[in-house]
């Protein structure tokens, strides 16, 4: 029930701030209030949940409790985990906090990064699209962060680093990239974001992207074999964990995303280099999910590309000249992603309860 109320609160907040700030020049103010309101509610739900909510939450609680009496010299040896998470866990324990306080700080950072991405990302589009970016981003990322928390906060650090890199704020970008690495080492793979950004003005960028992914698809077995021989994630490549993603209905979402990305490439004259690189990121996200049926956890590589889908829809929608068509399109996307979110939240692992530590 709480997840349905959360989705409804997003729509209510959007309508409320649109009515409250009707002036044309007040749109930026309305956007900030809207995003802050939604992310505050998201933060409360995430932070105050019990350790039974989310498969990995109980494990993280166990890891956190091991730092209760650990000296500073044991920060990186008490639990074999990335230094960013370990340092934060040790610090919260040092000041006498419990796991709830840890979650409040951890998800406070996560939600702030989400909000910053929404505001800055929206600023790089041609028309205001704060609402649709928020709905799609939360539907894709929010529930995931209940489980793979370390990687998802790393994803958000990377997203913000990418935005600052695009704005030529290289020091901020570098700092956020280092923080991402400190929470999840897989962040190094996000260098692909920078490489593609640098290539965005290459002629036939869209064709090169699609052709490269097609080649990777047909040569996937060979590429994985070579990676295995080099000792790269051997347990994953050899499927030692025997854990494959089941697509089910989400295939429909992947098809829609792929169609949007390919449409941008086909109608390239209508779109900017920024639009095309977002389409490339989104297509890579779909590719990694398709290949996850062959390699353990391969979809995790796509998590660094997934949030760009939230920018993909505004890019396509804003290209429509008809105001009525844009309204129908964005309404349809918001409703579809809300339904997808609600269906995902019905999994037993997300059965919500307030933390018993309060």
């Amino acid at each position: 029930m709480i997840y349905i109320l959360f989705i409804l609160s997003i729509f209510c907040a959007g309508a409320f701030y649109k009515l409250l700030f009707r002036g044309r020049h007040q749109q930026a103010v309305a956007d900030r209030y809207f995003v802050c309101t939604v992310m505050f509610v998201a933060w409360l739900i995430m932070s105050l949940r019990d350790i039974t909510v989310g498969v990995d939450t109980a494990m993280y609680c166990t890891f956190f409790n091991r730092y209760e009496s650990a000296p500073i010299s044991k920060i990186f040896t008490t639990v074999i985990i990335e230094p960013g998470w370990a340092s934060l866990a040790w610090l919260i324990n040092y000041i006498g906090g419990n796991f709830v306080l840890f979650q409040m700080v951890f998800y406070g950072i996560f939600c702030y990064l989400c909000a910053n991405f929404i505001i800055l990302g929206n600023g790089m589009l041609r028309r205001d699209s704060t609402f649709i970016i928020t709905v799609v981003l939360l539907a894709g990322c929010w529930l995931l962060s209940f489980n793979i928390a370390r990687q998802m906060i790393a994803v958000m650090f990377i997203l913000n680093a990418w935005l600052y890199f695009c704005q030529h704020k290289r020091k901020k970008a570098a700092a956020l990239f280092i923080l991402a690495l400190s929470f999840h080492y897989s962040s190094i793979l996000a260098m692909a974001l920078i490489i593609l950004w640098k290539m965005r003005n290459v002629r036939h960028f869209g064709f090169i992207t699609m052709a490269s992914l097609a080649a990777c698809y047909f040569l996937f077995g060979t590429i994985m074999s070579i990676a295995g021989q080099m000792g790269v994630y051997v347990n994953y490549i050899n499927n030692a964990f025997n854990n494959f993603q089941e697509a089910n209905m989400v295939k429909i979402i992947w098809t829609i995303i792929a169609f949007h990305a390919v449409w941008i490439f086909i109608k390239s004259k209508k779109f900017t280099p920024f639009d095309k690189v977002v389409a490339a990121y989104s297509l890579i996200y779909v590719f990694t999910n398709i290949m996850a049926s062959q390699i353990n956890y391969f979809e995790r590589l796509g998590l660094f590309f997934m949030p760009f889908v939230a920018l993909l829809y505004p890019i396509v929608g804003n290209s429509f000249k008809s105001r009525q068509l844009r309204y129908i399109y964005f309404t349809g996307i918001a409703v579809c992603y809300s339904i997808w979110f609600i269906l995902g939240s019905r999994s037993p692992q997300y059965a919500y309860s307030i933390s018993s530590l309060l």
Side-chain angles (χ1 to χ4, degrees):
M1 185 64 181
I2 193 168
Y3 303 109
I4 296 176
L5 292 175
F6 178 50
I7 284 292
L8 291 175
S9 73
I10 296 176
F11 282 85
C12 291
F16 174 75
Y17 288 119
K18 188 171 184 179
L19 290 173
L20 186 63
F21 299 97
R22 292 186 177 183
R24 182 179 179 182
H25 301 292
Q26 291 184 302
Q27 185 62 53
V29 178
D31 288 345
R32 290 186 178 276
Y33 274 103
F34 166 74
V35 173
C36 288
T37 299
V38 171
M39 296 317 302
F40 176 73
V41 175
W43 171 72
L44 282 179
I45 296 172
M46 299 167 90
S47 302
L48 302 181
R49 75 183 194 274
D50 194 50
I51 62 172
T52 59
V53 185
V55 173
D56 295 342
T57 313
M59 176 193 71
Y60 281 126
C61 183
T62 300
F63 287 171
F64 173 83
N65 290 334
R66 291 181 185 174
Y67 288 94
E68 185 174 357
S69 57
I72 191 170
S73 60
K74 299 291 185 180
I75 290 179
F76 305 128
T77 57
T78 298
V79 176
I80 305 303
I81 202 167
E82 284 85 349
W85 193 96
S87 299
L88 183 60
W90 180 86
L91 179 61
I92 299 300
N93 267 285
Y94 180 75
I95 64 175
N98 62 6
F99 187 65
V100 173
L101 179 60
F102 173 82
Q103 288 197 137
M104 294 179 75
V105 174
F106 183 91
Y107 288 114
I109 298 170
F110 176 85
C111 289
Y112 170 79
L113 293 170
C114 283
N116 199 52
F117 173 75
I118 293 169
I119 296 298
L120 293 180
N122 179 67
M124 300 182 77
L125 301 175
R126 290 186 290 275
R127 289 191 181 95
D128 178 71
S129 306
T130 305
F131 179 80
I132 196 69
I133 294 173
T134 303
V135 172
V136 176
L137 183 69
L138 289 176
C141 297
W142 193 64
L143 285 177
L144 278 177
S145 66
F146 281 36
N147 290 319
I148 49 174
R150 289 175 10 257
Q151 185 167 6
M152 289 312 299
I153 200 170
V155 167
M156 289 305 156
F157 275 123
I158 289 295
L159 287 179
N160 284 265
W162 177 82
L163 285 170
Y164 287 126
F165 183 87
C166 295
Q167 297 171 0
H168 304 289
K169 298 177 181 178
R170 303 299 165 79
K171 290 183 180 179
K172 282 187 176 181
L176 290 173
F177 180 73
I178 292 170
L179 282 170
L181 277 174
S182 76
F183 277 92
H184 209 277
Y185 295 140
S186 67
S187 300
I188 192 66
L189 299 170
M191 289 300 295
L193 295 172
I194 304 301
I195 295 171
L196 285 170
W197 175 255
K198 288 290 189 179
M199 293 176 57
R200 69 191 184 282
N201 291 314
V202 172
R203 191 178 181 184
H204 305 307
F205 174 76
F207 174 78
I208 293 171
T209 299
M210 291 187 290
S212 299
L213 290 176
C216 288
Y217 177 82
F218 290 110
L219 297 173
F220 192 72
T222 302
I223 295 171
M224 290 300 103
S225 176
I226 293 171
Q229 292 173 14
M230 295 172 62
V232 179
Y233 290 107
V234 175
N235 285 335
Y236 293 90
I237 292 172
N238 292 337
N239 293 325
F241 300 113
N242 197 30
N243 193 319
F244 301 95
Q245 176 169 262
E246 295 181 7
N248 300 326
M249 291 182 64
V250 79
K251 287 182 179 179
I252 298 173
I253 298 292
W254 298 344
T255 303
I256 293 171
I257 294 169
F259 176 81
H260 280 71
V262 173
W263 177 260
I264 289 174
F265 293 148
I266 293 174
K267 299 291 185 179
S268 60
K269 292 182 179 180
K270 294 177 58 177
F271 297 98
T272 67
F274 174 85
D275 301 339
K276 295 171 191 174
V277 81
V278 168
Y281 294 156
S282 302
L283 206 55
I284 292 171
Y285 163 66
V286 173
F287 172 79
T288 56
N289 278 276
I290 291 173
M291 303 317 296
S293 62
Q294 299 183 34
I295 296 291
N296 282 302
Y297 298 111
F298 197 75
E299 73 278 4
R300 298 283 184 91
L301 304 184
L303 293 177
F304 293 101
F305 300 91
M306 177 178 63
F308 291 98
V309 175
L311 302 180
L312 182 71
Y313 294 118
I315 288 170
V316 173
N318 289 333
S319 70
F320 301 150
K321 294 181 179 180
S322 170
R323 183 176 179 181
Q324 289 76 18
L325 185 58
R326 288 199 304 271
Y327 179 80
I328 293 171
Y329 171 82
F330 285 128
T331 300
I333 294 297
V335 170
C336 286
Y337 269 83
S338 297
I339 293 172
W340 183 34
F341 173 85
I342 292 171
L343 289 175
S345 68
R346 295 177 67 182
S347 171
Q349 64 176 303
Y350 297 123
Y352 197 84
S353 59
I354 299 293
S355 176
S356 58
L357 298 175
L358 289 173

